[in-house]
Amino acid sequence: MSDKPHQNLAIIGHVDHGKSTLVGRLLFETGSVPEHVIEQHREEAEEKGKGGFEFAYVMDNLAEERERGVTIDIAHQEFDTDEYYFTIVDCPGHRDFVKNMITGASQADNAVLVVAADDGVAPQTREHVFLARTLGINELIIAVNKMDVVDYSEDTYNEVKEEVQQLLKQVRFRSDDATYIPISAFEGDNIAERSDNTDWYSGEILLEALNSLPETEPPTDAPLRLPIQDVYTISGIGTVPVGRIETGTLNPGNNVSFQPSDVGGEVKTVEMHHEEVDSAGPGDNVGFNVRGVGKDDIRRGDVCGPADDPPSVAETFKAQIVVMQHPSVITAGYTPVFHAHTAQVACTIESIDQKLDPASGEVAEENPDFIKSGDAAVVTVRPQKPLSIEPSGEIPELGSFAVRDMGQTIAAGKVLEVNER
Ligand SMILES: Nc1nc2c(ncn2[C@@H]2O[C@H](COP(=O)(O)OP(=O)(O)OP(=O)(O)O)[C@@H](O)[C@H]2O)c(=O)[nH]1
Ligand SMILES: [Mg+2]
């Protein structure tokens, strides 16, 4: 473990724009992956007819990912810069795997948006930016990648930059301070060293931009909230739930409760990066062990919190949503899947209470019959299975969600009020 402050950084963007290649390159440049490993990957990639994927293979470990040359699940890796200790969350860009991207983005504080210079803003560029904003990503660094493919053209770079600026404006991402960098993940331009190929560019290179990200402020006064991502059985230890601490701290000896599974016990051990620790806090990815809690008692989507201040379980909740895309209209009774932290639960939009003016947030219409793409609204939502979620005004980290249906993100939003079970 490093003493430097920690950052969770998501890498987002459209399929094949070079996210995994960029992460592989970053790990290589920071000395986290030795050259001979990249060389092995190069040989494997060439055997599979996927020459050029050697850096992506650092992140894409699944056989199917390597055969298809796409990222399917989110993958985590660690590296250091001068200022920070980073956990990188490499997200899949393919539209079939946006649900995994949502989990990735909800684990991150800041993000690098990768946009290929030869392709520009593409459908999942939009979708990821929209989700990143709604899921609480603070800062975006925009890496205009594959500059080698466009002969390091300043004009092309400026066109892509302008496209992205418009997109950020459309989804109201606070965008004045976003950093844009022309890079080639594959060739290594402007990643760790300034490139001679882009002598027209004088801004920060990628590692400099990562170093100058603002330090994330852990919300220290909120109670422990730890969404469970997976539950393992490890010999010699027993049941080990893993996840990222969103708020609060977790210490051995704590009495905890898992909701909505409604089981609990005393924390025996807490591990980070395969080492036992005395205490873990916001942003830490932990594995832990709780006396008396077995593998079948808890599941992904549960939230762990203090036994005397347990995570809320919603009978219904009121939320403010923004509709990103829907082929027709949304009316009361609609039941898509809500993705909140690590949970995925079908929820019915029981009523559409108010339509809002998306620019000002003021009420434009009470009890509208329907809402459609581009609309913002306050709705009442009833989960079809128990769901732990919190008002975003109290615990923002546990108060946002994405709404998906028909393989795409329909809407995203934040929780205003929870009516507990
Ligand atoms: N020429 C060139 N090719 C690149 C660059 N970055 C990535 N590529 C190539 O683009 C292809 C896709 O790269 P990936 O890193 O797998 O893309 P990705 O964004 O992770 O894709 P998904 O995870 O499936 O969304 C591979 O063939 C890479 O070698 C670059 O800077 N220049
Ligand atoms: Mg990838």
Side-chain angles (χ1 to χ4, degrees):
M1 268 303 294
S2 164
D3 296 335
K4 295 170 191 167
H6 188 216
Q7 287 264 0
N8 285 288
L9 185 74
I11 313 294
I12 61 175
H14 192 73
V15 66
D16 269 357
H17 278 199
K19 298 175 292 298
S20 300
T21 303
L22 175 60
V23 179
R25 169 63 74 176
L26 272 171
L27 293 171
F28 174 67
E29 299 284 353
T30 54
S32 315
V33 179
E35 184 142 20
H36 74 265
V37 173
I38 302 283
E39 197 46 51
Q40 276 167 12
H41 289 326
R42 190 192 318 274
E43 283 164 21
E44 188 190 334
E46 270 164 18
E47 271 168 32
K48 290 198 156 71
K50 287 278 169 199
F53 272 88
E54 52 266 32
F55 284 107
Y57 274 18
V58 174
M59 298 310 291
D60 294 340
N61 293 311
L62 302 176
E64 192 189 349
E65 291 181 325
R66 293 188 172 185
E67 297 291 344
R68 291 178 59 181
V70 297
T71 304
I72 294 174
D73 209 347
I74 53 170
H76 297 88
Q77 283 283 358
E78 269 92 36
F79 74 91
D80 280 273
T81 62
D82 295 343
E83 294 294 325
Y84 291 116
Y85 170 73
F86 281 94
T87 299
I88 289 248
V89 191
D90 181 27
C91 296
H94 194 285
R95 63 187 152 79
D96 290 354
F97 309 119
V98 173
K99 60 180 191 301
N100 297 338
M101 176 276 174
I102 292 171
T103 307
S106 67
Q107 291 169 356
D109 314 302
N110 300 305
V112 175
L113 171 68
V114 177
V115 187
D118 59 338
D119 201 18
V121 168
Q124 273 64 52
T125 316
R126 292 180 185 284
E127 190 167 5
H128 285 193
V129 166
F130 171 79
L131 287 166
R133 199 224 43 188
T134 319
L135 297 173
I137 295 281
N138 296 320
E139 299 271 331
L140 268 192
I141 295 170
I142 295 97
V144 178
N145 189 33
K146 306 200 186 184
M147 285 303 295
D148 56 304
V149 177
V150 298
D151 296 327
Y152 301 97
S153 154
E154 183 179 7
D155 288 346
T156 309
Y157 167 76
N158 282 328
E159 281 163 29
V160 173
K161 179 175 170 184
E162 219 158 275
E163 259 189 286
V164 176
Q165 280 171 330
Q166 271 182 9
L167 169 62
L168 296 191
K169 216 186 266 166
Q170 268 169 24
V171 304
R172 297 194 185 76
F173 211 118
R174 221 177 8 91
S175 55
D176 309 339
D177 48 2
T179 308
Y180 293 78
I181 311 171
I183 66 161
S184 167
F186 194 67
E187 302 293 343
D189 297 287
N190 293 334
I191 310 263
E193 277 172 46
R194 185 165 296 281
S195 168
D196 295 336
N197 296 319
T198 52
D199 47 16
W200 42 265
Y201 175 76
S202 59
E204 287 178 320
I205 62 168
L206 188 60
L207 275 182
E208 288 170 349
L210 292 177
N211 274 325
S212 48
L213 282 169
E215 213 171 299
T216 54
E217 291 166 41
T220 42
D221 52 348
L224 173 70
R225 291 295 183 262
L226 165 51
I228 303 306
Q229 200 182 330
D230 260 310
V231 184
Y232 297 106
T233 305
I234 295 180
S235 61
I237 304 181
T239 301
V240 177
V242 301
R244 179 205 190 211
I245 298 180
E246 291 293 344
T247 56
T249 54
L250 181 70
N251 310 316
N254 285 164
N255 249 312
V256 295
S257 157
F258 294 84
Q259 297 297 337
S261 284
D262 201 23
V263 294
E266 187 192 325
V267 177
K268 285 196 291 188
T269 54
V270 180
E271 271 199 15
M272 264 168 76
H273 311 292
H274 312 292
E275 277 172 40
E276 267 193 40
V277 293
D278 295 334
S279 178
D284 291 339
N285 286 295
V286 296
F288 59 113
N289 177 250
V290 177
R291 206 177 294 277
V293 173
K295 186 167 167 55
D296 299 327
D297 298 333
I298 52 175
R299 56 196 54 83
R300 181 187 169 95
D302 274 338
V303 180
C304 177
D308 58 5
D309 191 357
S312 323
V313 179
E315 177 77 39
T316 60
F317 61 91
K318 244 186 207 317
Q320 181 173 329
I321 63 169
V322 179
V323 183
M324 186 175 89
Q325 53 185 348
H326 193 276
S328 56
V329 296
I330 294 174
T331 54
Y334 181 48
T335 306
V337 177
F338 278 57
H339 294 245
H341 52 87
T342 57
Q344 299 177 15
V345 174
C347 297
T348 301
I349 297 184
E350 214 165 54
S351 59
I352 303 173
D353 306 318
Q354 290 161 337
K355 193 159 127 178
L356 307 174
D357 175 348
S360 66
E362 275 164 27
V363 177
E365 190 184 342
E366 296 283 347
N367 304 309
D369 292 335
F370 64 87
I371 45 177
K372 58 180 185 353
S373 298
D375 286 346
V378 174
V379 296
T380 301
V381 182
R382 180 177 295 272
Q384 295 299 311
K385 277 198 207 145
L387 169 66
S388 176
I389 200 158
E390 309 280 352
S392 92
E394 284 167 32
I395 311 182
E397 291 78 0
L398 271 284
S400 63
F401 55 84
V403 182
R404 291 184 46 84
D405 188 16
M406 301 171 287
Q408 53 185 356
T409 302
I410 298 296
K414 59 181 184 186
V415 179
L416 302 175
E417 242 175 74
V418 175
N419 170 22
E420 289 194 55
R421 273 154 72 95

